[in-house]
Amino acid sequence: MAANDTEDRRTRQRVFQSVLDEGPITASSLAKALELTPAAIRRHLDALESEGLIEVRELAGKQAGRGRPARHYVVTTAGHDSVSHSYDELAVNILRFMEDKHGKSAVEEFTEDLVGRLRDRLGPELDKRGGTTVASRSRALAAALTREGYASSATPVAAGTPLEAMQLCQGHCPIQAVAAEYPEICEAELAMFSDYLGVDVRRLSSLAQGDHVCTTHIPTSELTRPLIHSNDRPQGGSR
């Protein structure tokens, strides 16, 4: 029985990690990715939901059948808090000390250095894999951010319409508590995204502000709209 309990806990942690990495995500997608039966995935999702670690979100435009919005799972604020952030409080206290002693400009310099170092780490991979389109560069950015611990994905929205765009989602932020105290870090990060992608981007939601995911809208205008890969288009769709 003890062995079964241990395996059950491990599987539940895998489910939680998948929601953290891929959310918002449906139960069927989780079951397929983790090779679990529908009954098993429901049991683990129900347990995680009862613990307050995940919750259901219904996404507009995503149908589960018969006109019902699809149920997607996301990690709650409590779930994010359960992920280890060992040095968050220390980092916030250091920045507060810097601001008290040297003024706001010291925090601004720190922010520029922090985001600059992230840009330098991402740079080689982005240059190698980014490609020439907004869509491909968005995917390369998401992949590179995931390797930095941001659990990111980039997917097309409204494909084949004048509102066609890419949506960059970051399901986890390693510096969430720090960014909540100092939102200029998020602003500098967003400016870095815009510089790399070559378009103006807009933050729709933010983990630092209490949302369940950081979502960045990346427009693909009339000039860039045809650059979204044909595989991203809905089945049967046409331009």
Side-chain angles (χ1 to χ4, degrees), residues 133-137 139 155-157 159-160 164-166 220 224-235 239:
T133 72
V134 174
S136 64
R137 291 170 75 82
R139 292 191 190 87
T155 56
V157 294
E164 188 170 84
M166 296 296 291
T220 53
T224 58
R225 187 158 56 88
L227 299 179
I228 288 184
H229 196 279
S230 60
N231 289 341
D232 293 325
R233 300 192 179 285
Q235 292 296 320
R239 186 166 291 282

Side-chain angles (χ1 to χ4, degrees), residues 95 98-99 104-119 175 178-179 181-192:
L95 286 175
M98 289 172 56
E99 186 173 5
K104 195 70 173 178
S105 61
V107 176
E108 293 171 354
E109 289 181 18
F110 169 81
T111 297
E112 291 177 4
D113 182 72
L114 178 70
V115 175
R117 289 174 183 271
L118 176 61
R119 184 190 297 111
I175 56 170
V178 182
E181 183 86 7
Y182 293 94
E184 52 264 50
I185 295 176
C186 295
E187 294 168 6
E189 178 188 82
L190 204 61
M192 187 260 284

Side-chain angles (χ1 to χ4, degrees), residues 189-211:
E189 178 188 82
L190 204 61
M192 187 260 284
F193 293 171
S194 183
D195 287 344
Y196 168 67
L197 295 167
V199 294
D200 290 331
V201 300
R202 181 161 57 97
R203 184 63 52 81
L204 302 180
S205 64
S206 171
L207 286 162
Q209 298 304 313
D211 297 310

Side-chain angles (χ1 to χ4, degrees), residues 85-168:
H85 295 288
S86 303
Y87 297 101
D88 277 356
E89 185 176 355
L90 175 62
V92 169
N93 286 335
I94 290 173
L95 286 175
R96 286 174 181 166
F97 178 83
M98 289 172 56
E99 186 173 5
D100 290 342
K101 289 293 184 180
H102 305 290
K104 195 70 173 178
S105 61
V107 176
E108 293 171 354
E109 289 181 18
F110 169 81
T111 297
E112 291 177 4
D113 182 72
L114 178 70
V115 175
R117 289 174 183 271
L118 176 61
R119 184 190 297 111
D120 290 343
R121 292 196 301 274
L122 299 181
E125 182 172 356
L126 294 178
D127 290 340
K128 180 180 179 181
R129 302 181 183 276
T132 59
T133 72
V134 174
S136 64
R137 291 170 75 82
S138 297
R139 292 191 190 87
L141 178 59
L145 287 170
T146 293
R147 278 182 272 279
E148 287 286 326
Y150 289 84
S152 302
S153 63
T155 56
V157 294
T161 77
L163 299 178
E164 188 170 84
M166 296 296 291
Q167 196 166 85
L168 175 69

